[in-house]
Amino acid sequence: MWIIYALLAAVSAALVIVLTKAGLKNVDSSLAFAIQALFIVCITWAVVVYQGNFSDYMKIEARTWIYLICAGICTTLSTLLSYKALSLGPASYVVTIERTSLVIAIVLAVIFLKEKITWQIVVGSLAIIAGAVLIAISGNSDS
């Protein structure tokens, strides 16, 4: 089931890139994210309430709060930087470079979460890096 959710997340992320790039034509990137963030907050909390999980926030341990707050800060910074890059460059270039974060996440997961690394993960990571470099040097990125 996780594969279905992951694929749906990939489709959603692709739509975010395309729709955001289209919406950034005459709008500051930070303002655009702030507008979208309002909807993110409203929709997410509506889902939490609908699922009946609202009161569970009181059960979250202090260490978990720290992780979630730090992740929230990183999400915000990542999105602000991504939107700024999208406002300056073509979506196909920006998203390719940005998605090298997958390789960084793999390395961090191995180091901090003690996840196992396989030859397939190494080859896939190298392919991601090679693809990003190939796209980045493939042409004019000023459009």
Side-chain angles (χ1 to χ4, degrees):
M1 189 59 147
W2 66 267
I3 292 175
I4 293 170
Y5 285 117
L7 289 171
L8 290 171
V11 171
S12 296
L15 288 169
V16 167
I17 296 296
V18 173
L19 294 170
T20 297
K21 179 64 179 178
L24 285 173
K25 292 203 190 255
N26 298 313
V27 178
D28 174 73
S29 60
S30 299
L31 177 59
F33 177 54
I35 292 167
Q36 289 181 3
L38 288 174
F39 287 96
I40 293 166
V41 168
C42 292
I43 293 167
T44 305
W45 278 107
V47 169
V48 168
V49 170
Y50 175 77
Q51 292 175 337
N53 296 327
F54 182 75
S55 63
D56 289 350
Y57 81 91
M58 294 183 291
K59 300 174 190 172
I60 299 174
E61 298 174 3
R63 184 180 187 117
T64 302
W65 272 108
I66 293 169
Y67 287 139
L68 294 175
I69 290 167
C70 289
I73 291 167
C74 290
T75 298
T76 303
L77 291 174
S78 171
T79 305
L80 283 169
L81 293 168
S82 177
Y83 281 28
K84 186 64 174 177
L86 279 170
S87 73
L88 299 172
S92 58
Y93 288 76
V94 171
V95 74
T96 302
I97 300 300
E98 184 209 350
R99 294 301 186 232
T100 60
S101 64
L102 298 171
V103 177
I104 298 166
I106 290 168
V107 171
L108 293 175
V110 169
I111 294 170
F112 294 109
L113 302 176
K114 308 299 183 215
E115 292 187 2
K116 295 186 181 194
I117 192 155
T118 65
W119 69 268
Q120 294 95 332
I121 292 172
V122 171
V123 171
S125 296
L126 291 173
I128 290 169
I129 292 168
V133 169
L134 181 64
I135 290 172
I137 64 171
S138 69
N140 183 5
S141 63
D142 294 333
S143 57

